[in-house]
Amino acid sequence: MSPDAQLYTLLLRGQQKLSAQTPKYKKACEGCNHHSPFLDVPSVLLAPWFRISEFVDRMTGGNQILTTNTKPGMRSTVIGHEAPKANIAKRWRELQGANNWADLLSPLDLDLRREILRYGDFVHVTSDTFPYEKKSKHPWACPIKKSELLSNTSHDVTGYEVTRYLYSHLHGRKDEIQEVNWIGYVAVTVDPEEISRLGRRDIVVVWRGTVTDIEWQQDALFSQIQPTSINGNTVPKDVLVSRGFWGAFADFDPAKSVFGINGSAGKQATEEVKRLIQKYAGEQLSITCLGHSLGGALATCCAYQIAEANINKSASRTIIPITAFTYASPRVGNVAFRERFKTLGVKVLRIASNQDIVPCLPVGDDDDSNPIIPNVKMEVEHTAKKIHIGDVLGFLVDKLNDAILPDDYTHVGVTLALDFRKSPCLKQPGKWIDLNSVENLHRYHNLEGYLHLVNGVFGGAKGDLKKPFKPVVIRDLAPINKRSDLLADTYAKNVPENWWRLQRHTGLERNQDGFWEFPEVHGDIKKPNPDFD
């Protein structure tokens, strides 16, 4: 019998055993000692037959919780499938970084793991719903109305309402604004059950990653400038940030305004956060800034600006905690910028991989407590086009002209380091990062790949290659290939690469006269529009 057939037989036998004990496994509780014939079967092996979520639903009616405790008094270490949402009302401040995630990263705390995954899905919404079809009428805009945004994604994002869209004014390599692009959204928890589960009403500000050519050009503006505070507060003179990232956040040209929106993306975001704080005055609130890649840099800028402008102080002078969860974010500012974050009390958990070149840029050096690139001997081929994975940072610092790429950059916050070599479900990175291969660079910058690793890593600020990879939350493998070919061939037999396509408003549609054209969904872009502002 082939290995596949043996496994399939094992699953069928397990189904029979589980069916006989269904009532036992339908009893939901936290930190239980339920066991299952599936406990030692890696969830990734179920992919060849059907979706993991469908499999669990078939076996248990969607109510199975499988965990195992280590020792009495210790947090549970999940090694099977468990309920994706637990009540965190009593510990939400800890999960938002009140104690800088002390004792939560190694091993990676279950509730924190689930929060990183949940917030990552909010970020997925930005890429899922921004098709950027260059020949459409408004390629820079999101074609989905605010009220429908969270239901048009490939991930389960519920309990929140989108209250505002954000638009960035970008100049690329030029001085004047070249384009205005939809760059993210603000949402707030509105579902009473979700508010109760979270222990507060959560305001999220979500930023997307780089898509357009102008955005790529602006990303590469590594010279540093002093950020400004929107309320006139004096910013310490030694605090410096990337000109490109801060420009995307803070620049504004009134002549290029859309939907009557007045102000930069940063002003739009901070004003909306301020409005929501006033609207829900007296309630327990949190502010969470999220983003992947460029979005991570903008989330960092946003968290900083909200705190610098004292927007997170309620009318009663209560300090509302600000947390940024960034995924594959580049560096944003200098050491003084990092220290300013600490002074302001802003918490940042940066999720990064040392096979991804983006977190290594702009060139710089990180705080010793947050290493991302191991310090090993440099190995560079004569073409200078391939870099040893363990020395991306060293190569860039040593070989690139410091006058062009200043190296006074550092990351902020606490690091959760990921390693793509950990998962057997993914194509394995080679010894080198090949700068000639855009496809290879993009592959290991994959957000869903990051979340897949979060779902199965043991954790730790430096990672731990000795610990086995075990997915612990029900999560489909197919989204890993939404925009790449990262999924290993074994698991990609029925999952094509780059398969995601937004179903509506991304292609030609037949008009009332019978002619094919791009649909008009935005109306007059110079007038206010409650669906898109």
Side-chain angles (χ1 to χ4, degrees), residues 291-456:
H292 169 253
S293 192
L294 165 63
L298 296 178
T300 303
C301 293
C302 185
Y304 164 77
Q305 182 70 287
I306 292 171
E308 191 70 82
N310 294 318
I311 291 174
N312 63 321
K313 290 183 179 179
S314 64
S316 61
R317 308 305 293 175
T318 301
I319 303 296
I320 300 170
I322 305 171
T323 304
F325 290 86
T326 67
Y327 305 80
S329 174
R331 297 183 179 92
V332 176
N334 64 355
V335 173
F337 181 66
R338 181 187 72 203
E339 295 307 307
R340 186 62 179 163
F341 258 75
K342 296 177 182 179
T343 301
L344 294 171
V346 179
K347 305 299 181 180
V348 179
L349 182 60
R350 50 180 301 270
I351 299 96
S353 167
N354 64 358
Q355 287 98 21
D356 182 0
I357 197 170
V358 173
C360 306
L361 298 172
V363 294
D365 197 6
D366 293 338
D367 181 20
D368 290 340
S369 63
N370 297 328
I372 180 62
I373 302 298
N375 183 20
V376 299
K377 182 179 180 181
M378 182 168 61
E379 265 186 272
V380 185
E381 288 193 349
H382 69 280
T383 60
K385 290 294 186 179
K386 293 185 178 181
I387 310 172
H388 192 279
I389 284 175
D391 203 48
V392 176
L393 179 60
F395 173 80
L396 291 171
V397 172
D398 292 342
K399 296 295 180 181
L400 297 178
N401 189 331
D402 289 347
I404 298 175
L405 300 179
D407 63 359
D408 189 18
Y409 275 93
T410 186
H411 278 300
V412 299
V414 177
T415 298
L416 174 64
L418 304 176
D419 191 327
F420 281 88
R421 293 173 296 176
K422 289 290 293 177
S423 173
C425 304
L426 308 179
K427 290 180 178 176
Q428 296 299 292
K431 183 179 179 181
W432 304 88
I433 288 182
D434 188 351
L435 298 184
N436 280 317
S437 173
V438 175
E439 179 184 80
N440 195 58
L441 292 174
H442 177 69
R443 179 183 293 162
Y444 298 105
H445 190 55
N446 183 321
L447 174 57
E448 185 58 31
Y450 267 66
L451 298 182
H452 171 74
L453 293 176
V454 169
N455 190 21

Side-chain angles (χ1 to χ4, degrees), residues 173-401:
R173 295 194 186 101
K174 299 183 178 180
D175 294 330
E176 65 274 8
I177 296 300
Q178 299 296 302
E179 63 185 20
V180 179
N181 294 334
W182 183 83
I183 200 71
Y185 63 95
V186 181
V188 63
T189 325
V190 292
D191 179 65
E193 291 186 3
E194 186 70 353
I195 293 172
S196 175
R197 187 186 74 83
L198 296 176
R200 85 281 188 191
R201 191 183 295 272
D202 187 31
I203 301 169
V204 296
V205 187
V206 190
W207 305 86
R208 69 165 174 80
T210 306
V211 175
T212 76
D213 293 342
I214 297 296
E215 290 168 357
W216 283 111
Q217 292 174 21
Q218 187 143 339
D219 287 353
L221 299 177
F222 293 157
S223 59
Q224 295 179 332
I225 62 174
Q226 185 178 21
T228 55
S229 176
I230 59 175
N231 68 347
N233 283 5
T234 301
V235 177
K237 293 182 179 180
D238 57 346
V239 173
L240 297 174
V241 293
S242 158
R243 178 190 170 207
F245 300 145
W246 189 258
F249 179 77
D251 285 349
F252 173 66
D253 180 356
K256 300 289 181 69
S257 177
V258 296
F259 303 126
I261 297 171
N262 183 30
S264 65
K267 184 178 181 182
Q268 297 163 38
T270 51
E271 284 185 346
E272 183 64 8
V273 170
K274 184 176 181 179
R275 185 187 72 83
L276 292 172
I277 290 174
Q278 294 173 345
K279 179 177 180 179
Y280 298 111
E283 294 190 27
Q284 191 81 263
L285 300 174
S286 64
I287 302 169
T288 310
C289 301
L290 309 169
H292 169 253
S293 192
L294 165 63
L298 296 178
T300 303
C301 293
C302 185
Y304 164 77
Q305 182 70 287
I306 292 171
E308 191 70 82
N310 294 318
I311 291 174
N312 63 321
K313 290 183 179 179
S314 64
S316 61
R317 308 305 293 175
T318 301
I319 303 296
I320 300 170
I322 305 171
T323 304
F325 290 86
T326 67
Y327 305 80
S329 174
R331 297 183 179 92
V332 176
N334 64 355
V335 173
F337 181 66
R338 181 187 72 203
E339 295 307 307
R340 186 62 179 163
F341 258 75
K342 296 177 182 179
T343 301
L344 294 171
V346 179
K347 305 299 181 180
V348 179
L349 182 60
R350 50 180 301 270
I351 299 96
S353 167
N354 64 358
Q355 287 98 21
D356 182 0
I357 197 170
V358 173
C360 306
L361 298 172
V363 294
D365 197 6
D366 293 338
D367 181 20
D368 290 340
S369 63
N370 297 328
I372 180 62
I373 302 298
N375 183 20
V376 299
K377 182 179 180 181
M378 182 168 61
E379 265 186 272
V380 185
E381 288 193 349
H382 69 280
T383 60
K385 290 294 186 179
K386 293 185 178 181
I387 310 172
H388 192 279
I389 284 175
D391 203 48
V392 176
L393 179 60
F395 173 80
L396 291 171
V397 172
D398 292 342
K399 296 295 180 181
L400 297 178
N401 189 331

Side-chain angles (χ1 to χ4, degrees), residues 18-19 21-29 34 56-66:
L18 188 59
S19 298
Q21 305 176 55
T22 296
K24 176 180 179 181
Y25 292 104
K26 282 190 175 182
K27 188 175 181 181
C29 63
H34 295 167
V56 175
D57 286 343
R58 293 176 191 180
M59 298 301 100
T60 67
N63 296 313
Q64 186 177 4
I65 297 178
L66 303 175

